[in-house]
Amino acid sequence: MLVWLFPIIFAIHDFEEIIVVEKWIAKNKQDLVHKLPKRAKNFFEKNFAMKTDQFSIVVFAEFIIISLATLFVFLNGFTGFYKWFYLGLFAVLFLHSFTHIGQAILLRRYTPGVITSIFFLIPYGLWFYKVVLQKNMISYSDIWISIPVGVILFALFFPALMKAASKY
């Protein structure tokens, strides 16, 4: 059950973003551009000026990838490629939850994804890591290794997903 909660928690989190992100960005864009560092501003303008249906395509593709990683780990355990595929994606989502909190603090207001980050992603992530560590399914070094693995996976998948979604 703990492993299968990953795609469910991801979906809940991204539903919050899907529901509010387009309207929120339209309302807050000028303030965001003013407060973000130049590098972050360029990334924001390039990747997040999309419509809800485009964003939903990206989320759907990410959900499929996360669900496949979950299925592989469920069927094969935390071994080999499956372990790193799952843990890498998990690490990115867990760390991503803290960016929502940082955004809310920086902007001093609600930001899309902050509620589910606080009440779902972070508690689930801490619980997941606690249980899999206690059961010796993974080690602390696995967690640290999974972070660059997740960043590489993100770097491989995310730009392609964003580019594909921008065509719709």
Side-chain angles (χ1 to χ4, degrees):
M1 179 181 90
L2 186 64
V3 169
W4 281 106
L5 281 174
F6 181 25
I8 295 167
I9 297 292
F10 168 81
I12 292 168
H13 171 69
D14 273 68
F15 289 160
E16 177 189 3
E17 292 179 319
I18 288 169
I19 292 166
V20 300
V21 75
E22 184 177 351
K23 188 175 181 179
W24 187 90
I25 287 175
K27 182 179 177 184
N28 293 281
K29 185 174 184 174
Q30 292 306 318
D31 197 29
L32 286 170
V33 171
H34 176 71
K35 288 188 176 184
L36 291 174
K38 184 176 180 168
R39 190 175 199 169
K41 179 174 70 170
N42 293 338
F43 180 79
F44 169 79
E45 288 178 333
K46 182 179 177 186
N47 290 300
F48 294 99
M50 63 172 47
K51 302 291 183 196
T52 299
D53 56 344
Q54 294 170 317
F55 184 65
S56 298
I57 292 168
V58 174
V59 169
F60 178 70
E62 290 173 337
F63 179 77
I64 296 299
I65 293 166
I66 287 170
S67 296
L68 286 172
T70 302
L71 178 63
F72 294 152
V73 162
F74 178 75
L75 295 174
N76 300 291
F78 285 101
T79 60
F81 168 79
Y82 309 115
K83 169 184 174 177
W84 298 114
F85 188 40
Y86 183 93
L87 289 178
L89 294 172
F90 190 90
V92 166
L93 184 64
F94 182 66
L95 293 174
H96 168 76
S97 65
F98 293 96
T99 68
H100 286 289
I101 296 168
Q103 292 164 3
I105 292 169
L106 175 70
L107 298 170
R108 294 186 174 125
R109 68 185 71 142
Y110 166 82
T111 56
V114 72
I115 293 171
T116 51
S117 291
I118 292 169
F119 292 106
F120 289 96
L121 283 176
I122 293 171
Y124 167 64
L126 293 172
W127 179 51
F128 171 83
Y129 284 132
K130 178 183 175 189
V131 170
V132 295
L133 286 166
Q134 285 178 342
K135 294 185 180 268
N136 294 316
M137 298 167 80
I138 66 169
S139 67
Y140 283 102
S141 62
D142 291 338
I143 295 171
W144 288 109
I145 292 168
S146 71
I147 295 170
V149 168
V151 169
I152 291 167
L153 288 171
F154 181 80
L156 290 173
F157 289 117
F158 190 73
L161 291 174
M162 295 298 278
K163 186 175 180 180
S166 69
K167 294 179 182 179
Y168 292 96

